[in-house]
Amino acid sequence: MRKALCVGIDSYQNINDLHGCVNDANSVKSALERNGDGTLNFEVKLMTSTSESTYITRANLKDSIEQLFKGDSEIALFYYAGHGSIDGLGGYLCTSEAVRPDDGLSLNDLMAIVSKSKARNKVIILDSCFSGEVSERPDMPGYAAIYDGTTILAACGKDEYASENNNHGVFTSLLVEALYGGAMNLLGDVTPGSIYSYIDQSLGAWEQRPVFKANIKEFVSLRKNNPPIAVNDLRKITSLFASPAAELQLDPTYEPDKHEADTDEINEKHERDFSLLQCYVKLNLVVPVGEDHMYYAAIHRKSCKLTAQGQHYWMLVNKNQI
């Protein structure tokens, strides 16, 4: 069972309202509910506050988080977008009734709930100011207390503000892009690690810096997208290259267009292999040797080889991990 709680709070009783958090919660819900092929992914509960009649209190939020992390699920994922605050004792998720910084749900309380969860994978994603404070130990500044199976993605450092743009959080906009395929591997999987890398590379040095913390044995896939190459075609990489360091010798029989070739010999198997090799080139798995393009590598009887990424996938296929 994979379940998620997505919370977005725009409406506050005593502090400034926000304008993109509900949009963000809805966007994350949509990205998590279904995989790229339409199959069910997460069972998502949505909590949003857009007016006084839909205020989310600290008690509401805490109860829902406790329910999320209850039971032995495969993944329990918590996403929050709203005001964040900080004081000398740590950080807080500000709920609708907040007046002072410590009126919200303490990040320490959040992590205490997570620590008791029997869920095999616990994922916390926070798009709020000062969210990088999560899991910090107040008694040991600079140290984090993260329990086994827990992954944390925070929009910014503990001393930073989380930005909004066009009625969406900057962090969440990138998170959603990553989930829909921007951060997927060649199998279509999107993991918390690949999401962090995608967001980190997308934000400039002068912008908010995302935070990633984890105590895990392996990454779990948060969404399965349609892969850019069929698995069976990817697995053929070990039949084309004898080893990760091997080069594949080419000749004009690989290239269907032979108008610059010194032969008109046709080899249908070579042409099929060359079509797959061209696909590998587009995915940065293969590069020609001694030529800028695969066409001339074939016409001029050069070779091609695996890139570092190609060698990585070759080894995965060879170990039967793909």
Side-chain angles (χ1 to χ4, degrees):
M1 183 169 59
R2 297 159 69 94
K3 55 183 181 176
L5 172 64
C6 294
V7 179
I9 304 179
D10 280 343
S11 186
Y12 287 87
Q13 184 175 8
N14 303 296
I15 55 180
N16 291 336
D17 285 346
L18 295 171
H19 305 287
C21 298
V22 171
N23 291 338
D24 286 342
N26 278 291
S27 295
V28 173
K29 174 182 180 290
S30 297
L32 290 175
E33 273 186 322
R34 302 263 168 194
N35 293 305
D37 63 358
T39 57
L40 186 65
N41 186 21
F42 279 87
E43 186 174 330
V44 184
K45 177 181 178 181
L46 180 67
M47 292 178 67
T48 59
S49 175
T50 56
S51 65
E52 182 177 349
S53 63
T54 56
Y55 279 163
I56 296 173
T57 66
R58 179 185 180 279
N60 297 150
L61 183 59
K62 185 179 179 184
D63 288 348
S64 295
I65 291 172
E66 287 178 338
Q67 189 64 33
L68 168 69
F69 288 105
K70 195 178 198 179
D72 185 18
S73 55
E74 178 194 353
I75 306 177
L77 184 151
F78 173 58
Y79 168 85
Y80 171 86
H83 276 305
S85 62
I86 192 169
D87 68 8
L89 297 177
Y92 302 83
L93 304 179
C94 296
T95 44
S96 295
E97 81 281 22
V99 177
R100 28 184 278 174
D102 59 356
D103 281 342
L105 179 68
S106 164
L107 294 177
N108 292 330
D109 288 347
L110 168 63
M111 295 311 297
I113 295 170
V114 172
S115 71
K116 297 173 184 175
S117 175
K118 294 182 180 179
R120 293 185 289 284
N121 296 279
K122 295 148 301 257
V123 180
I124 298 95
I125 305 175
L126 306 177
D127 192 350
S128 56
C129 298
F130 319 116
S131 51
E133 176 74 13
V134 63
S135 82
E136 293 287 313
R137 293 186 54 173
D139 58 325
M140 297 178 66
Y143 287 85
I146 306 176
Y147 294 87
D148 186 46
T150 303
T151 302
I152 298 168
L153 281 165
C156 58
K158 61 183 180 180
D159 301 316
E160 294 181 325
Y161 293 92
S163 301
E164 284 189 342
N165 186 31
N166 296 323
N167 290 327
H168 283 282
V170 171
F171 170 84
T172 295
S173 293
L174 294 170
L175 166 67
V176 171
E177 287 178 14
L179 285 168
Y180 277 121
M184 72 179 178
N185 62 17
L186 293 187
L187 300 178
D189 291 311
V190 178
T191 68
S194 67
I195 290 173
Y196 171 75
S197 179
Y198 181 87
I199 296 174
D200 180 59
Q201 292 174 21
S202 300
L203 292 172
W206 293 91
E207 298 177 275
Q208 66 193 63
R209 301 309 309 160
V211 174
F212 179 81
K213 303 176 184 180
N215 180 4
I216 53 175
K217 295 181 176 65
E218 61 182 3
F219 282 124
V220 64
S221 178
L222 298 185
R223 191 175 194 270
K224 183 83 171 178
N225 294 283
N226 297 322
I229 183 172
V231 173
N232 287 340
D233 285 340
L234 182 58
R235 287 184 54 79
K236 291 175 184 176
I237 198 168
T238 54
S239 63
L240 290 171
F241 295 89
S243 72
E247 293 186 9
L248 176 62
Q249 182 62 49
L250 301 174
D251 62 54
T253 64
Y254 282 85
E255 172 53 61
D257 180 3
K258 296 179 172 57
H259 75 277
E260 295 183 72
D262 57 11
T263 178
D264 57 5
E265 179 187 351
I266 294 175
N267 185 315
E268 292 182 357
K269 180 183 182 305
H270 280 184
E271 290 183 8
R272 289 195 300 271
D273 288 346
F274 197 66
S275 177
L276 183 56
L277 288 168
Q278 293 278 36
C279 181
Y280 287 168
V281 169
K282 292 177 182 177
L283 297 173
N284 192 35
L285 299 175
V286 167
V287 291
V289 175
E291 296 286 353
D292 291 333
H293 303 285
M294 289 289 284
Y295 170 83
Y296 287 111
I299 295 300
H300 297 157
R301 301 176 185 272
K302 299 292 182 65
S303 61
C304 61
K305 65 179 182 179
L306 295 170
T307 63
Q309 181 167 279
Q311 292 178 4
H312 169 71
Y313 279 96
W314 188 99
M315 289 186 281
L316 290 178
V317 172
N318 191 55
K319 292 177 183 177
N320 206 33
Q321 293 179 336
I322 292 179

